[in-house]
Each structure stands twice: as structure tokens, then as C-alpha cells.
């Protein structure tokens, strides 16, 4: 039985039609990654430094693994509905429920079928939650090239997709040529980034990144940066929505709309609800959402910043009350100054 053909048949039956195969080797970009860590561009994400040795040698994670089945799945429109919907401006990947569990379940279904057909082989599924340089493997598997915005870009699908993988003990070497770099002289993403977080050499400086500060950070961004966040509540997509390859895939009009500030929406109710809810209430409301990554503290912090940037003076009482919480006092004071 031809493994690649059978695997492709199973993946397509599960509506996973964007895939490729790569052998597990020392990542092509590991030296660039280590240099990125040395520069401190990972900001407060210390786990990225701690996992560097595993990323250099994937067999440390899965000793029997020899190859990876790489799978991409578009998230525009979002494939997994969310229970709690907000009008606030969030990264497109977070418009549905947590893809880590939903996407992984789909990969596990594929792996289950592969185990039944190839019982002598091992199949392990991961979705952006393991120390694997996924973009490196996806590039080797022919799913795209790494653009100047540091995202994997596919010439037919753009870059708005999740990446997951099934590591297997089977050796799969398809010898496909890599997708050539098609960024050319375009630098739209570098020019559009509000905080200039993208640097030459395809490096993202997380210390300057809106997505880092609104998702991963456990403190508030420096006051001088907050005004640059505009109305972004969770994450940021600008470096993707200005990309010509996403305009080609999803339409220029839609991408231009997504690149602009939230238009004609009353965000007051969402923001008031977040600031008025207890942290336990927020944790429950977003338990199955990517927004849970910011934790209740981060959601309140982000709401306060949006209120300041949008000059929503009617929410001044809710912001003032947040001064009673020590970890929110500084950012609340900043917003109250914007509301004068």
C-alpha cells in the first residue's frame, strides 16, 4: 500500500486538503532562531528559549519519529464556532473556539485511521502546542515560504491558516522542491506594522509586537507604546491583511476592511462587561476560546487600553474602579489621563 497516496486520501476525506510531507532533520532555521533568542526578541516568552534544544532535535520530543505529515487549515472564515462572541477587534484566528483542541481532534482522527492501516508505525499529533519549529517543517513540506512578516505564505491560500503536524516513525521522503520566496521587493507588512515590530532579515521583535503585549505578556506595555495599539483588543493581523497574497486569496476589499480600525460598532457593552465581570466569570466565559491565553488580567488590561485609545469617556467609572486592583492601576491611570 502506497503510504503517501493513502494518507492523502484520508486527509482529504477529513476536509484537510492542504498538506505535505517532510523528513525530520536539523531545522533549516535553527541558527536564525537561536540568534533571535540571543537578541532577546522573544521578550518575556522564556519557554521559547527553554525549548530551543528540543526544537533543534525533534527526536527529543518523539524518539521514534522520522517524518512529519504537515497540515494547514484556513481560519477565514473560522471553522470552529465560539460560544462567547465579542465585537471587539481580535486577531482572526481567535474568532472561534480554541483551535488547539478542535484541530488536534481532526488530526487524531486521521492518525487513528493511519494506525489501523499501518500498525507497525507510530503517529503523534501536535497543533502549535509542542516545541517544534512548525514553519520550518511546513516549508520543507512545500506548504509555502516564510514571508517578511515571518508568517508562512502559500501562493494559493495566503497565510491565514493554522499549522498542525502528525509525527510518524515512517520515513517519508517526497523530494519536493521548496516553494520559492515570492515576497520580492514588497515591504507592505514592514511599513504597515504600527509599532515597527518587523525587522530586516524576517525577524519579529516581540518586544514591539501588539500581539505579544495583548496575548502573551503578563504585564502592561510601556506607556509610550499603548497609543499604537489603537483598537486592537487581542492580537493583531495587520502584517497579514496588508499582504498581497492574502488580497489575492480573500479579496482586496475584505483585507483592506480588516486592516482598518473598527468601523461603526458600539463596543461599549463588551468593554463594560469585561471590566465589570469578576476574573472567575471571565475565565469561565472564555474557557474554550483562544482569548483565554491572555488570562482574565490580560483581558481587563486590554479593555482598559482600548477604552483609552477610543476615548470612551462614558466608561470612565469602570476604569477608575480598576485602580483598586494593583496589577491594573498603572494602565488604568494611563487611560484615565487619555479621557481628560
Amino acid at each position: 500500500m502506497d503510504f503517501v497516496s493513502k494518507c492523502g486520501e484520508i486527509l482529504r476525506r477529513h476536509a484537510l486538503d492542504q498538506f505535505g510531507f517532510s523528513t525530520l532533520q536539523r531545522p533549516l532555521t535553527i541558527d536564525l532562531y537561536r540568534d533571535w533568542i540571543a537578541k532577546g526578541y522573544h521578550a518575556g516568552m522564556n519557554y521559547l528559549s527553554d525549548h530551543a534544544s528540543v526544537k533543534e532535535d525533534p527526536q527529543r520530543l518523539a524518539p521514534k519519529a522520522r517524518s512529519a505529515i504537515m497540515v494547514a487549515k484556513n481560519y477565514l472564515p473560522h471553522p470552529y464556532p465560539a460560544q462567547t462572541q465579542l465585537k471587539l477587534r481580535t486577531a482572526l484566528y481567535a474568532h472561534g473556539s480554541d483551535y488547539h483542541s478542535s484541530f488536534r481532534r481532526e488530526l487524531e482522527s486521521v492518525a487513528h485511521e493511519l494506525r489501523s492501516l499501518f500498525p507497525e508505525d507510530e503517529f503523534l499529533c501536535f497543533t502549535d502546542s509542542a516545541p517544534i519549529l512548525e514553519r520550518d517543517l511546513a516549508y520543507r513540506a512545500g506548504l509555502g515560504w516564510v514571508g517578511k512578516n515571518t508568517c508562512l505564505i502559500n501562493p494559493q491560500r495566503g497565510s491565514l491558516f493554522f499549522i498542525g503536524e502528525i509525527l510518524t516513525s515512517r520515513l517519508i521522503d517526497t523530494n519536493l522542491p521548496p516553494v520559492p520566496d515570492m515576497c520580492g521587493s514588497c515591504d507592505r507588512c514592514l511599513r504597515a506594522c504600527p509599532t515597527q515590530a518587523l525587522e530586516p532579515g524576517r525577524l519579529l521583535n516581540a518586544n514591539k509586537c501588539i500581539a505579544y503585549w495583548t496575548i502573551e505578556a503578563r504585564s502592561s506595555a510601556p506607556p509610550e507604546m499603548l497609543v499604537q495599539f489603537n483598537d486592537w483588543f487581542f492580537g493583531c493581523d495587520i502584517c497579514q491583511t496588508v499582504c498581497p497574497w492574502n488580497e489575492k486569496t480573500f479579496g482586496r476589499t475584505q483585507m483592506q476592511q480588516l486592516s482598518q480600525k473598527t468601523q461603526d460598532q458600539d463596543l461599549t457593552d463588551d468593554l463594560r462587561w469585561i471590566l465589570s465581570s469578576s476574573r472567575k466569570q471571565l475565565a469561565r466565559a472564555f474557557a474554550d476560546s483562544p482569548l483565554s491565553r491572555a488570562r482574565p488580567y490580560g483581558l481587563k488590561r486590554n479593555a482598559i487600553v482600548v477604552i483609552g485609545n477610543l476615548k470612551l469617556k462614558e466608561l470612565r467609572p469602570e476604569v477608575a474602579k480598576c485602580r483598586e486592583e494593583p496589577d491594573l492601576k498603572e494602565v488604568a491611570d494611563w487611560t484615565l489621563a487619555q479621557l481628560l
Side-chain angles (χ1 to χ4, degrees), residues 28-45:
L28 294 167
T29 55
I30 190 62
D31 292 332
L32 181 66
Y33 181 81
R34 288 191 176 279
D35 182 57
W36 180 75
I37 293 290
K39 284 182 165 68
Y41 285 1
H42 59 311
M45 297 178 285

Side-chain angles (χ1 to χ4, degrees), residues 1-9 114 117-118 170:
M1 186 184 303
D2 180 63
F3 179 86
V4 170
S5 297
K6 192 61 183 177
C7 184
E9 176 188 319
L114 289 172
L117 293 172
F118 305 95
R170 177 173 286 260

Side-chain angles (χ1 to χ4, degrees), residues 231-338:
D231 60 338
W232 282 105
F233 171 69
F234 182 92
C236 178
D237 282 324
I238 291 176
C239 66
Q240 296 195 81
T241 53
V242 300
C243 178
W245 293 99
N246 281 321
E247 289 185 351
K248 175 176 179 284
T249 302
F250 301 102
R252 186 175 186 183
T253 299
Q254 183 177 17
M255 290 298 102
Q256 286 181 335
Q257 290 173 344
L258 290 170
S259 298
Q260 297 167 359
K261 181 179 173 181
T262 305
Q263 300 293 320
D264 303 321
Q265 288 204 57
D266 184 0
L267 308 179
T268 305
D269 288 345
D270 280 351
L271 293 164
R272 179 177 286 118
W273 171 70
I274 290 169
L275 295 191
S276 301
S277 297
S278 71
R279 300 197 184 195
K280 286 185 178 179
Q281 287 172 327
L282 290 175
R284 285 195 298 268
F286 295 105
D288 191 35
S289 166
L291 274 68
S292 64
R293 182 71 178 178
R295 303 180 185 180
Y297 154 74
L299 298 178
K300 285 178 176 283
R301 172 200 62 199
N302 298 349
I304 292 169
V305 174
V306 171
I307 291 167
N309 282 331
L310 297 185
K311 313 295 184 188
L312 299 176
K313 294 186 178 182
E314 62 269 39
L315 292 175
R316 191 197 312 261
E318 286 80 2
V319 175
K321 188 169 179 56
C322 289
R323 296 185 74 253
E324 299 172 7
E325 303 180 51
D327 56 354
L328 294 175
K329 183 180 183 302
E330 182 179 358
V331 70
D333 285 341
W334 179 86
T335 285
L336 289 171
Q338 312 309 305

